[in-house]
Amino acid sequence: QQQVKQSPQSLIVQKGGISIINCAYENTAFDYFPWYQQFPGKGPALLIAIRPDVSEKKEGRFTISFNKSAKQFSLHIMDSQPGDSATYFCAASNNAGNMLTFGGGTRLMVKP
Amino acid sequence: EAGVAQSPRYKIIEKRQSVAFWCNPISGHATLYWYQQILGQGPKLLIQFQNNGVVDDSQLPKDRFSAERLKGVDSTLKIQPAKLEDSAVYLCASSLEEAGSHEQYFGPGTRLTVT
């Protein structure tokens, strides 16, 4: 299976701090890189997504940075809040279909 | 807009028994997916439908898993017989068919425990 490797597995951040989660992929055919947020007992929900023609995308407190040559992308959560405490998954797919390959997830805890 | 509906939410069965999960996608969404999410891992795609046709089922363990999507709307995923390693959350997702529309909307999942 084409892999997407995610790190760290868990992350503790103080309220107001910056949370950073990293992902690396192998398949150069991937051209869509979303981040999903999952709360306990719920399905994943799309947070933000990027395509490789840009190096950065920002939506509110959430920013994706994308490095095509290194085959890496990361999620930055600015001014982290306790309500951001959840599990975050990176994923990737290509235009041949909408089939997403997910990373292993990062459990984020934001301390008040 | 109503989201993706799944039932049941929880199911406990013994190994070698059979089980079925049901999914109702968002109205108008032509593409439907079933994922398996083992505790502590990311979701893994099992099967993708477009309308009532299978697009990809390469990761579906076909000796025990089956899925169908009659009339291109609701879908069922069946496991027969279940094994201990099938314990997981089974997520259903749907998306629009439009070109370039990759956003998938997930249901709450069915948590299966096989004892």
Side-chain angles (χ1 to χ4, degrees):
Chain A
Q1 181 181 0
Q2 301 161 345
Q3 286 190 334
V4 177
K5 295 182 179 179
Q6 184 171 344
S7 64
Q9 287 186 310
S10 63
L11 182 62
I12 300 175
V13 173
Q14 290 294 127
K15 178 182 176 181
I18 303 173
S19 304
I20 301 174
I21 305 171
N22 302 298
C23 282
Y25 63 97
E26 299 172 354
N27 186 353
T28 55
F30 286 149
D31 66 352
Y32 174 73
F33 303 90
W35 285 90
Y36 280 80
Q37 180 188 55
Q38 186 175 30
F39 292 103
K42 305 288 187 182
L46 180 66
L47 194 60
I48 186 173
I50 197 169
R51 293 189 182 272
D53 52 344
V54 296
S55 61
E56 186 174 282
K57 182 175 181 180
K58 183 176 181 179
E59 290 183 1
R61 296 185 293 109
F62 301 93
T63 301
I64 299 180
S65 297
F66 184 80
N67 185 329
K68 188 174 181 178
S69 61
K71 294 187 286 186
Q72 295 175 347
F73 58 110
S74 60
L75 175 69
H76 295 234
I77 306 174
M78 311 299 289
D79 187 26
S80 299
Q81 299 296 312
D84 297 331
S85 297
T87 300
Y88 292 81
F89 293 96
C90 62
S93 71
N94 62 39
N95 254 337
N98 292 341
M99 294 167 286
L100 290 172
T101 299
F102 281 84
T106 297
R107 180 173 289 185
L108 172 65
M109 178 184 296
V110 181
K111 289 191 168 182
Chain B
E1 176 182 79
V4 175
Q6 290 188 247
S7 68
R9 291 296 313 277
Y10 305 93
K11 190 73 176 179
I12 301 174
I13 62 171
E14 295 182 350
K15 60 183 179 183
R16 290 187 290 274
Q17 287 187 324
S18 62
V19 64
F21 313 125
W22 173 82
C23 173
N24 179 242
I26 292 173
S27 177
H29 281 196
T31 308
L32 184 147
Y33 314 79
W34 283 101
Y35 289 86
Q36 180 192 57
Q37 185 175 22
I38 293 172
L39 185 65
Q41 298 183 19
K44 184 185 85 170
L45 181 69
L46 293 175
I47 188 167
Q48 177 185 352
F49 292 94
Q50 184 147 320
N51 297 308
N52 59 349
V54 175
V55 175
D56 186 282
D57 63 356
S58 59
Q59 298 189 83
L60 188 72
K62 299 179 188 63
D63 58 333
R64 298 183 301 105
F65 286 65
S66 64
E68 61 181 8
R69 190 183 184 195
L70 300 176
K71 301 180 181 178
V73 182
D74 293 3
S75 177
T76 56
L77 176 70
K78 297 179 182 178
I79 307 175
Q80 182 180 8
K83 293 185 176 181
L84 294 176
E85 59 261 35
D86 298 332
S87 294
V89 175
Y90 290 85
L91 294 163
C92 179
S94 68
S95 68
L96 286 169
E97 186 180 352
E98 295 168 357
S101 172
H102 287 256
E103 182 169 0
Q104 296 184 23
Y105 296 83
F106 284 81
T110 296
R111 181 177 296 277
L112 173 67
T113 302
V114 182
T115 63

